[in-house]
Amino acid sequence: MSEMPGQATNRAPHRRLQVNPETLRFVPAEKRDFWEKLAEDVEINIASQFGKRWTMLATLRVILASPDETYEEVARVLNRSPGAVRYRRQAMIHLLRDEHSAVDRVEAYRSDPKAFHKYSDYAQVAEALEQLGYFDMPVREQFALAVPLGQPSRSWRGDGSSAALAQRKNTYSSLKEEVRRLLDEARNFGST
C-alpha cells in the first residue's frame, strides 16, 4: 500500500461487534409496508455533473469565484453539488497557504498518478493555479486570494449528496447479505 509523504500510519482500533442477545421478533407485513413505501418515496436531487470528470474550465471557475459568491451559486452554474465545489475551493486554499500537506499531495500524484489517484483533484487545482500565475505572487497576495466562499454555517461541509448516494447503493447489498446470513444460520441451527 502506498502512503503519502508525511502521512500518519496509526490506525484507529477496531470496534467490537455488539451482539443483541434478545430473540428476533417478526414484524407483521402490514406494519412493514408503511416503512418500505416510505423508503421508496425518498427523492435525492443530484446535480447533472455529479461524479463526472472536472474540466479545467470548471476548476478555473471555482478558483476565480469571488468570496462574496456562495458555494450553492457556483455549484448551480457548474451543475455540481455545493460540496464538490467546496472541495475544489479548499484544495485551492490549502495549496496557496501551503497547509495540510497539499503540496506533498500534488507531488505524490505527479510522481505516481496510479498509486496516488485520490490526489488528482489537488493536482488539477495546482495546475490551474500555476497557469494563472498565483504561485508567482507574493505570499501576502496568495493569502488574500485563499478565502472560502459563502456557506450556510461555519461547520457546513457540503450537501451530503455523495453520502446519500453511497448509502442508497450499499443498503440493498447489505440487506441481501444479511438475509443470506440469516438463512445460513437457520439452516445450520438444527445441525449443531
Side-chain angles (χ1 to χ4, degrees):
M1 179 172 123
S2 300
E3 291 187 26
M4 190 185 83
Q7 183 179 18
T9 56
N10 293 343
R11 305 266 188 230
H14 294 290
R15 293 183 182 214
R16 292 178 183 247
L17 177 66
Q18 294 181 356
V19 178
N20 184 355
E22 296 180 18
T23 57
L24 288 177
R25 290 178 284 155
F26 290 97
V27 178
E30 58 273 3
K31 289 187 177 180
R32 251 192 343 261
D33 286 343
F34 170 77
W35 294 105
E36 289 173 356
K37 288 178 184 171
L38 184 65
E40 292 172 6
D41 291 341
V42 174
E43 185 177 314
I44 302 172
N45 294 326
I46 302 298
S48 64
Q49 292 297 308
F50 183 85
K52 303 274 194 298
R53 185 179 298 267
W54 278 77
T55 63
M56 184 57 79
L57 189 60
T59 299
L60 287 170
R61 174 63 178 94
V62 172
I63 290 171
L64 296 172
S66 172
D68 61 335
E69 291 182 272
T70 66
Y71 289 109
E72 288 85 1
E73 292 168 351
V74 176
R76 204 173 307 116
V77 170
L78 297 174
N79 290 321
R80 295 279 180 179
S81 69
V85 171
R86 180 191 174 278
Y87 186 83
R88 290 271 159 158
R89 186 69 176 201
Q90 285 305 119
M92 177 196 98
I93 293 168
H94 293 160
L95 285 163
L96 289 175
R97 293 181 180 175
D98 193 12
E99 58 188 16
H100 303 293
S101 305
V103 176
D104 292 339
R105 292 179 193 192
V106 172
E107 290 173 4
Y109 175 80
R110 289 177 177 168
S111 70
D112 190 355
K114 285 186 178 184
F116 298 104
H117 61 88
K118 63 183 178 181
Y119 303 135
S120 63
D121 295 329
Y122 272 75
Q124 188 180 41
V125 170
E127 182 182 345
L129 292 171
E130 288 167 357
Q131 295 300 321
L132 290 170
Y134 279 26
F135 291 129
D136 298 330
M137 294 178 171
V139 173
R140 178 180 45 81
E141 290 178 29
Q142 289 181 27
F143 272 61
L145 293 168
V147 177
L149 301 180
Q151 54 192 37
S153 68
R154 278 184 62 102
S155 62
W156 179 83
R157 295 293 179 263
D159 63 353
S161 55
S162 63
L165 282 177
Q167 179 150 0
R168 182 175 62 177
K169 182 179 176 183
N170 293 334
T171 300
Y172 180 71
S173 61
S174 64
L175 284 174
K176 278 177 38 179
E177 289 175 18
E178 181 65 13
V179 168
R180 284 189 187 125
R181 186 190 67 75
L182 288 171
L183 286 171
D184 288 342
E185 192 175 293
R187 286 184 194 125
N188 295 331
F189 182 71
S191 63
T192 56

